[in-house]
Every structure is written in structure tokens, then in C-alpha cells.
Amino acid sequence: MDATSASAGAAAAVKADAPMTDGKPRTAVLRMEGIVKRFGAFQALSDVSLELFAGEVHCLLGENGAGKSTLCNVMFGVHQPDAGSMWLDGAPYEPHSPRDALTHGIAMVHQHFSLVEDVSVLDNLLLGQVRGWLDRKREAQRVRALVAELGLALDPDARVAELSVGEKQRVEIVKCLIREPRLLVLDEPTAVLLPAEIDALLDTCARVVARGCAVVLVTHKLAEIRRIANRATVLQSGRVVARSSTPSADVDALVRAMIQRPGNAEQEAVSTTTATATPRSTTRSASPYARPLADEALQIDGLTVRDADGVTRLEDCTLVVNRGEIVGIAGVEGNGQSELGAVLAGMQKASAGRFFVQGADCTQAAPQTLTKAGVGVVPEDRHAVGCVPDMSLTENLFLNRLDDYARHGFMQRRAMRRDARALMQRFDVRAASPDVAFRGLSGGNQQKAVLARELTLDGLAVLIAAQPTRGLDVGAVAAVYDHIRAARDEGVGVLLISSELDELMAVADRVLVMYRGRIMGTCVPDASQLNLQRERIGAWMAGQTA
């Protein structure tokens, strides 16, 4: 792997690393050279050079805010570079919009779906692509032939609203591939998929490149890099800092390049294996319920939630979280996990059932009362309920204890800033100052700030952490779980709700699986049976009981 600190060296590394055909360098499908992009005073990309080749998967890596999405949007014509040049099949390429990019054979699957829910798959696939008379029968046959070639299961006549998340992802991909692009850009496409659906998507990528297409895959998942990447490029602060033509062998070095700061030798010691670590091989009690009642940090007894239409979203949920234990809740999003987290945070009322914190019934408690009872909450939507974006970082760090800094009707701002700086250092929250607006922080730093606030709650007994690493890079994920483990080791009971199965298996002491509001099964992660347990959990996540 070539690690580079200067952009000129980075550009040279691309050329030197170009694949050869019959002893001659291959022509790149897309070549980007010296790309610069600014947003006001902020420089998102600085002299970035990249080459993408037909028949290869090129993984784009980097921390949140490193410039990955900006670079993809430059490829796709969403943003125009302030400097630099691009060539498509050797000819100058200057897209002014996504329509230009699509016309030139570049398609992009965004992280969030852009489908029309109330119409069929076929209608979604043909939107904006067919002019004049539409022969639906012929177009349906064309779609079926394409999905058969790619090995996908997709019914053109199905209504999109009735599809699973994985099926919707397939529609997005086929919508791009039906245009027969030369370059397909995938922005974190596996974030909300079942394990089996992830495998199917990666198989599809392999078939796409076998047809001669170039694929850019933005991902934070190390298993995906090992499995499918032909090449990888790491961005840091808008610059290329490392490349690899053998990513599966260079994963550890690529991760170090992502999180290492120039001149900071301490970063060499940072653990980079959180996302793929094997479970701890500690000895556990055969039954977690056999422990004394005094050990229970959180007890949930028959919690049920019905929505406004009377549909049951959470059904008879019963579980115990002991002190000094991390209990993971796995499952595809939309299977009752959000409702469980909302009830435990005091944001939603239960239709039936109760829950207890350290033996005290908190079922009807308001959020402020739960805070006083020792419940810390990291919500899945940090922007909507986890922070006040227009307030400062300092104010957000102390939202749950502003009274501690009130004296005679005035806020002790100097003391708040001093304590905020200490928390920023302890939890590695990176910002120009404690006074910056919270909305100006990157997603990873916002999440670390919310975690810092909740983990330093006075008398913390229970932490409810819902999707705490969503959208975070490998370095931020490692930091989040280091802090959660530390809380567990200090006796806090942790309920960890996540759609990232590999992370749950590496971090949790027990993993429970939810499907359509019910707990389908539970297991204690065991490194010696990891593959078998993943298969069993994947089956539970899909609703299979055996």
C-alpha cells in the first residue's frame, strides 16, 4: 500500500498503480486530477486525484467529514469542482448536473432511497427514461432479463411500498443499471440490510464488475472491504492519505491511515478492530436471569406499544439488563426497536407492561424524571431529540444539568466552558472551541458529544444507546464502543440497540433479536461458534423461528 502525505505524491501514486494490459497502462473509465472543492471558507477537497477502472470495485474510505460524499457528488455532477480536471474514457468530462452524469454513463445510488412508494417497481425504473409511447410488456421483459442476469429476485409488477428494505435497495441499483452505466457509485448501500441481503448485494456488485462496469463503494465495514474491494483510497480532511491495490491484505493499514493524525504517534496504538472483533471468551452464567434481583439495573416486563391505528409495534417485550452488562438488540430497523427505545427514554407511552430502573417503577416517568433516576439516553435520531442544534457545544454537553451552573439567576459560563473543554478532551470531541454551534460539528463529533453528556450523568445506572454508531467512521465507532465498554466495566447496565450485527457480536454480552415487535431469540456471543450464531441470528431477523 502507498501512503501519501502530499497531494502531488498522491497523484503520482495513482499513475504508478494503474493496472496493465499487454504491458501497457489501461485507460481509466474516470480519471480525476487535482480536484479542489470549497464551500465558503471550508475546503472539502484538496488536490484529490483518483483513477477508476472497468471491471473493478474501488472502495472509498475515510472518517466522517473526510470528503468522500463530496468527491462522489463531484463525479455525479451534484457539485462542480473549483479546480482540477476530469476525464471520462480519456475525453474531458465536466458535468453540470446529475442529468449530465447520467447522460455520460455515470449513475449513483444514494444512501437514502429516492423511490415513489405508491407505484410499481417497473414505474420507478422507467421514470425519466422513456419518452413517447410506453410498451410496458416489452420494458417488463427487459427488466426481468436484467435482474435474472444479475441474479436478483425482483418483481417488476410489485408495489414499492410493499417491498422490504433489501428489495428497495435492489430497485435503486437496477434503476441505475438499466441505463447500462460505465461507472456505478454506491454510497454506503448496506447500512440497513439483513446479513443475507448484504451478501446478495455484494454478489451483485461482483456481477456488475464482471460485465465491465467500474464500481465505487463508499463503506465503513471492514468485512466488505476484505470481500470485494480491488482497490481502495483513503481520504482525510479532503486529501488522499493512502491507497491500496491489495485492500484485503491492507485493511489494518488502511484503517490506521483513516484515524491517524499527522505527527500523532499515539494514534498508532488506537484499536482498529472494533468492527470485526471476535466476542470476548469470558465465562458467563448459563442464565442471566439467575443473578440476584439487586443486580438488575433495568427490568422490562411485557412492554407493548400500539400506534394510532391500533397496529402493534412492540409486543410483550420482557428482558433484564444487569449491572455491568451490555445487552444488544439486533434486527432490521422497523421491527419494534425504535418503539422500545422511545418508551425507555420517556418519549412514548406504553400501551401495556412496565419497566423498572434499579427496582423503581419508571413506566410513566417523564424524561427529566428518568434522568434523575440514572437513565442516560443516546437516541437514534440525535438531531431531532438528542440535541438543540442552534445552541452551542457547551450548552448541549450540559443540557441535563444546566442547574449545576446556575448562580443567583445567572449561568456560570466560564465554569461551563472549562468543564466542556475537559469533556471534549476526554471523549475526543473535535471542534474549534466549546462555543461553536452544535449543528456545525460533524456527525461523528455530534454523536461523541451526546455520548459524553449521557455517560457523565450523575448516578448513571442504565444507558439506553440506540444506533450509537450510525453513519460514523471506523475511528469514531471504536471510540464510541470504548466508552460504552468503560461504562459497563464501572457497573452500568447497557441496552444497545443496533442494526450492525458484527458490532453487536463484538461488544455485547448477550444479543436478543427482534422481529415485528417480538423477541425471536437470544444468544451469548461465542468466538468458537461465530459463523453458526450469525446464521441463526440472521434467520431470526428474517422471522424464522427454527
Side-chain angles (χ1 to χ4, degrees):
M1 183 185 72
D2 298 318
T4 59
S5 57
S7 56
V14 172
K15 296 175 182 177
D17 200 32
M20 309 288 284
T21 300
D22 296 330
K24 297 179 181 180
R26 284 164 51 189
T27 300
V29 172
L30 179 68
R31 180 159 63 94
M32 311 176 81
E33 193 164 294
I35 298 297
V36 174
K37 182 60 186 176
R38 301 182 187 88
F39 296 98
F42 174 69
Q43 186 153 342
L45 297 173
S46 180
D47 202 10
V48 173
S49 296
L50 188 70
E51 285 188 321
L52 306 170
F53 295 93
E56 291 188 353
V57 176
H58 197 121
C59 282
L60 198 58
L61 316 174
E63 292 185 294
N64 296 100
K68 305 184 300 298
S69 293
T70 302
L71 186 61
C72 290
N73 283 323
V74 169
M75 297 178 197
F76 194 53
V78 176
H79 302 316
Q80 286 70 55
D82 296 309
S85 303
M86 292 189 287
W87 290 267
L88 188 65
D89 290 331
Y93 171 62
E94 297 178 356
H96 295 285
S97 68
R99 181 182 293 273
D100 284 350
L102 289 168
T103 300
H104 284 85
I106 296 180
M108 182 171 176
V109 177
H110 297 273
Q111 187 172 357
H112 302 289
F113 300 148
S114 57
L115 301 174
V116 181
E117 295 272 324
D118 293 331
V119 300
S120 72
V121 169
L122 182 62
D123 290 330
N124 272 272
L125 296 177
L126 300 181
L127 280 174
Q129 298 195 48
V130 178
R131 298 182 184 276
W133 180 260
L134 173 63
D135 186 337
R136 294 185 63 85
K137 184 177 180 180
R138 184 185 66 185
E139 295 297 338
Q141 289 175 343
R142 184 162 70 101
V143 169
R144 286 192 174 94
L146 177 60
V147 298
E149 180 185 350
L150 295 172
L152 298 175
L154 196 61
D155 179 7
D157 298 320
R159 184 166 167 263
V160 167
E162 298 171 354
L163 300 181
S164 69
V165 174
E167 289 170 327
K168 289 179 181 178
Q169 186 69 274
R170 291 175 215 161
V171 177
E172 290 281 12
I173 293 174
V174 174
K175 187 169 68 173
C176 290
L177 294 179
I178 201 170
R179 297 175 179 270
E180 298 184 355
R182 283 173 283 186
L183 172 62
L184 177 63
V185 182
L186 301 172
D187 185 6
E188 298 197 48
T190 63
V192 294
L193 301 185
L194 285 162
E197 291 173 332
I198 293 174
D199 290 340
L201 177 61
L202 296 181
D203 287 342
T204 299
C205 285
R207 292 189 180 96
V208 168
V209 298
R211 301 170 80 216
C213 185
V215 173
V216 173
L217 177 63
V218 179
T219 182
H220 293 134
K221 298 181 179 180
L222 307 187
E224 295 173 13
I225 299 169
R226 288 192 175 99
R227 174 171 169 178
I228 199 167
N230 299 106
R231 297 178 185 279
T233 296
V234 179
L235 293 178
Q236 187 183 110
S237 301
R239 293 179 176 272
V240 174
V241 295
R243 309 180 192 277
S244 174
S245 56
T246 55
S248 61
D250 294 336
V251 165
D252 289 343
L254 289 168
V255 173
R256 283 197 298 273
M258 287 172 58
I259 65 177
Q260 186 172 351
R261 294 289 174 271
N264 186 356
E266 292 180 3
Q267 288 292 339
E268 288 287 349
V270 174
S271 172
T272 62
T273 59
T274 299
T276 55
T278 54
R280 296 178 302 151
S281 57
T282 55
T283 301
R284 299 179 175 91
S285 170
S287 170
Y289 302 98
R291 291 170 58 171
L293 184 63
D295 274 1
E296 293 183 3
L298 173 68
Q299 182 189 118
I300 299 172
D301 181 17
L303 278 185
T304 299
V305 173
R306 301 181 186 90
D307 65 17
D309 298 321
V311 178
T312 300
R313 300 296 182 182
L314 181 68
E315 185 175 0
D316 194 26
C317 181
T318 298
L319 63 92
V320 169
V321 180
N322 292 299
R323 302 177 192 275
E325 180 184 39
I326 299 174
V327 175
I329 303 291
V332 178
E333 292 184 51
N335 280 279
Q337 309 97 310
S338 295
E339 288 77 8
L340 175 60
V343 170
L344 298 177
M347 303 297 294
Q348 185 172 352
K349 297 301 181 185
S351 304
R354 300 178 299 169
F355 72 91
F356 303 82
V357 176
Q358 300 188 98
D361 190 341
C362 293
T363 310
Q364 302 299 325
Q368 186 175 12
T369 303
L370 287 168
T371 298
K372 292 179 179 178
V375 179
V377 178
V378 179
E380 63 178 281
D381 190 342
R382 57 179 172 263
H383 295 105
V385 296
C387 67
V388 183
D390 290 326
M391 292 177 68
S392 70
L393 169 58
T394 295
E395 290 164 330
N396 274 277
L397 283 170
F398 301 116
L399 276 179
N400 55 13
R401 46 184 167 139
L402 289 174
D403 289 346
D404 293 351
Y405 296 93
R407 297 291 185 276
H408 309 296
F410 295 94
M411 298 302 297
Q412 305 299 301
R413 298 283 179 180
R414 182 177 297 178
M416 288 179 67
R417 291 190 191 95
R418 178 198 64 216
D419 293 347
R421 288 190 182 94
L423 283 182
M424 289 169 66
Q425 182 175 7
R426 175 180 168 187
F427 287 86
D428 192 28
V429 181
R430 299 169 188 169
S433 81
D435 299 320
V436 299
F438 196 81
R439 69 166 62 254
L441 273 64
S442 71
N445 284 307
Q446 288 180 347
Q447 190 74 321
K448 286 187 283 186
V450 171
L451 193 70
R453 181 185 68 219
E454 300 303 314
L455 284 178
T456 55
L457 178 69
D458 289 339
L460 179 66
V462 176
L463 178 69
I464 311 298
Q467 311 294 349
T469 62
R470 175 184 285 156
L472 303 190
D473 57 73
V474 174
V477 168
V480 166
Y481 283 132
D482 283 346
H483 290 301
I484 289 177
R485 286 189 184 102
R488 183 268 315 276
D489 293 343
E490 292 175 2
V492 174
V494 180
L495 186 67
L496 176 60
I497 301 171
S498 177
S499 57
E500 298 292 344
L501 180 55
D502 287 336
E503 295 179 8
L504 285 178
M505 295 295 282
V507 175
D509 299 291
R510 282 187 288 139
V511 175
L512 285 71
V513 181
M514 293 190 68
Y515 176 75
R516 293 187 177 179
R518 296 184 65 88
I519 294 175
M520 299 293 291
T522 181
C523 75
V524 175
D526 183 343
S528 66
Q529 302 181 31
L530 194 56
N531 290 334
L532 178 62
Q533 289 185 328
R534 279 180 54 84
E535 291 179 8
R536 184 183 302 130
I537 289 173
W540 287 336
M541 289 169 69
Q544 300 177 27
T545 56

